[in-house]
Amino acid sequence: MQGILYEEASIWQFLFITVILGGWTAWRTGKSVADSWRNFTTLVPYVLLLGAAIRFVHHALFNGSILAVQYYAVDTIVLLLLASAGFRFYGTRQMTEKYYWLYARVTPFSWRAK
C-alpha cells in the first residue's frame, strides 16, 4: 500500500499524522459546524483546507511531497469521512437534546420523529 495511499516509509507515520492528529481535528471541525447549526456543505471547504494543512505537516516532519495531488486526495478523503462522522454525531445529539419532545435518537448518527 506504500506509494498508493501514503508516501512515508512507515504506515505508522501516515496513521499518526492523518488519522490520529488530522482525524481528531476533522472530528472537532465537524462538531463546530454542527454546533453552529450550519449545513454539511459548509463543512467541505473547511476539510479541504485541513487536508492542505495535513499535507504541510507531512512535508515538514517527514519531507513528504507537499504538492502531490494523489496523497492530498487520500488525506482529504480520510479527513472528510471523520469530519462527516463528527458532524452527524453532534447533529444527532443536538437535535435529540434540544427537541427531545419531537425527536428520539436511533443510533449515535441518526434520529427519528417520535
Side-chain angles (χ1 to χ4, degrees):
M1 297 304 270
Q2 194 239 355
I4 298 172
L5 296 179
Y6 60 94
E7 64 180 328
E8 291 80 14
S10 171
I11 192 168
W12 298 109
Q13 294 171 352
F14 170 77
L15 291 175
F16 176 70
I17 299 297
T18 301
V19 178
I20 295 175
L21 183 68
W24 178 79
T25 308
W27 179 271
R28 299 299 294 175
T29 302
K31 178 195 182 305
S32 68
V33 170
D35 283 347
S36 63
W37 292 95
R38 295 187 179 151
N39 57 7
F40 183 78
T41 57
T42 308
L43 182 65
V44 175
Y46 294 141
V47 174
L48 293 174
L49 290 172
L50 184 59
I54 292 299
R55 282 310 314 152
F56 175 75
V57 172
H58 280 286
H59 171 71
L61 293 180
F62 304 115
N63 201 20
S65 58
I66 196 166
L67 298 176
V69 177
Q70 173 187 359
Y71 300 126
Y72 169 75
V74 169
D75 289 345
T76 305
I77 288 169
V78 169
L79 296 174
L80 187 60
L81 290 173
L82 293 168
S84 300
F87 179 80
R88 288 295 297 179
F89 180 81
Y90 285 103
T92 299
R93 187 169 141 195
Q94 191 173 12
M95 290 296 287
T96 57
E97 288 178 0
K98 300 252 185 219
Y99 303 107
Y100 57 88
W101 65 92
L102 290 175
Y103 303 110
R105 187 178 303 179
V106 177
T107 68
F109 300 103
S110 66
W111 66 89
R112 65 171 172 79
K114 283 189 176 180

